Amino acid sequence: MTDQRPTLADVARVAGVSRAAASRAINGTYGASEAVRRRVRAVAAELGFEPHPVARALATGRAGAGRRERIEVLIVDPDPEAMSTKPFYGRVLTGAMRALGDRDIALEVRRVATLPADDGDAPFGRLLINVPGAAGAAFARRGRTVALGRSAPGVMFVAPDNDGGGHQAAAHLVNTGRKRIGAVFGPPTPCADERRAGFMRVMAGAARPVAVADGDFTRARAYAAARELLAGEPRLDAVFASCDVSAMGVLQALRETGRRVADDVAVVGFDGSALAEAADLSSVYMPVEDEAASAVHHLLDPALPPPGRLPTRLTVRGSS
């Protein structure tokens, strides 16, 4: 005899929600609004759906495995040392944990060199970092997703005013009389492209030529790029590095070639991390912790209004 008992999928279909949302509504776990919870439970009662006790225990975290809802921070970065060498990621985790507070939701961090082939056990929500636009859109179709930085159209994101920050860095160098300016930009990502655009727009308006080298937000590449810039233009009197980690490589190259910071060459970074403060580096501060907290708040409550761009500001220190 065929078992005709209604399934959770049946309840989700009739209620017009995803299977995961139906499960959360029935089991009373975090992430379902009161309206959705009432609708799903009404449909379940109408269909005569009764959750299996073992499945219910798993869904609510009362099984032996101690399962909890979780938010995954998915980071695409080929650098195996990225979590320890790039302060940005630590600041993201600080902001995410601040937003979660004492909620019974786990924060799971996954760094991958390339995106995984499949979704596997999908989390309650995902915070995407450095995920290409098309892949970000695919994740967004499968569940709650917020990107840090502009992604594909239709994918919610939180980002600082990168363009404005690049503008501030360039204006500072122009206004302090620097004439022969170099720049170590970042990889071809939206945030790096925005910083570059803001910087170059000011330089074009001031008729300042810029010696450009491409970086990848690592110290090693920025060091090599700065050596290339100095070899091609020995009289450089300023360098903009599009992140603080890159600025550390630039400072190393300047020291090794006998240039004095900032008497001979001014240096400005971007991030405003603890590295900048420790190195007395002028840097454009971006509120990473606030970005991450805002992203998590939107994962918890998608009904919140879309976040705007968060402001950046240049902090001038001894390097410029």
Side-chain angles (χ1 to χ4, degrees):
M1 179 181 294
T2 303
D3 187 353
Q4 296 296 323
R5 289 181 302 175
T7 66
L8 181 62
D10 295 325
V11 174
R13 176 175 49 78
V14 175
V17 299
S18 69
R19 190 179 186 280
S23 175
R24 293 187 181 100
I26 288 172
N27 294 304
T29 55
Y30 196 84
S33 69
E34 185 58 35
V36 168
R37 187 175 292 113
R38 286 197 301 267
R39 183 166 78 252
V40 168
R41 290 182 176 180
V43 169
E46 181 180 345
L47 296 180
F49 171 76
E50 294 183 4
H52 190 283
V54 173
R56 185 183 184 103
L58 284 170
T60 57
R62 289 190 287 271
R67 183 181 177 86
R68 288 194 296 167
E69 291 282 14
R70 72 191 197 281
I71 288 176
E72 179 185 77
V73 180
L74 179 60
I75 302 167
V76 179
D77 193 318
D79 181 3
E81 304 299 322
M83 299 303 294
S84 60
T85 60
K86 298 180 180 179
F88 174 81
Y89 297 135
R91 296 178 66 192
V92 167
L93 299 184
T94 298
M97 290 187 290
R98 179 189 302 165
L100 285 176
D102 59 359
R103 294 178 177 89
D104 189 26
I105 299 177
L107 189 66
E108 179 177 279
V109 182
R110 181 161 53 142
R111 185 206 63 83
V112 294
T114 57
L115 281 172
D118 56 59
D119 212 4
D121 181 19
F124 164 73
R126 274 199 178 95
L127 182 57
L128 305 181
I129 302 176
N130 303 333
V131 174
F139 278 118
R141 287 193 294 271
R142 293 195 290 265
R144 296 188 184 188
T145 300
V146 178
L148 284 189
R150 180 167 49 85
S151 186
V155 178
M156 181 176 287
F157 71 91
V158 182
D161 181 10
N162 289 301
D163 184 286
H167 185 285
Q168 293 171 56
H172 171 63
L173 294 176
V174 169
N175 292 338
T176 51
R178 304 293 171 166
K179 305 291 186 184
R180 294 174 293 277
I181 298 169
V184 179
F185 291 122
T189 62
C191 70
D193 290 346
E194 290 163 0
R195 295 172 196 181
R196 180 176 187 146
F199 187 86
M200 295 301 286
R201 189 171 60 254
V202 172
M203 291 300 167
R208 294 282 204 281
V210 181
V212 172
D214 290 325
D216 60 2
F217 288 166
T218 67
R219 176 172 177 158
R221 174 56 199 148
Y223 168 79
R227 295 295 296 246
E228 293 167 13
L229 289 176
L230 292 167
E233 178 50 82
R235 297 189 302 157
L236 278 181
D237 61 6
V239 178
F240 170 62
S242 60
C243 82
D244 288 349
V245 173
S246 295
M248 297 303 107
V250 172
L251 292 172
Q252 180 185 359
L254 292 173
R255 285 196 303 269
E256 291 184 1
T257 53
R259 270 73 165 187
R260 295 171 301 168
V261 179
D263 293 338
D264 300 329
V265 184
V267 180
V268 176
F270 201 115
D271 281 342
S273 67
L275 283 177
E277 187 172 357
D280 198 22
L281 172 70
S282 296
S283 181
V284 177
Y285 175 82
M286 59 178 188
V288 178
E289 293 85 353
D290 292 342
E291 292 174 55
S294 177
V296 170
H297 285 313
H298 279 80
L299 288 174
L300 297 174
D301 185 2
L304 288 173
R309 291 274 183 171
L310 278 67
T312 53
R313 68 177 185 274
L314 174 66
T315 300
V316 177
R317 298 188 177 93
S319 69
S320 67

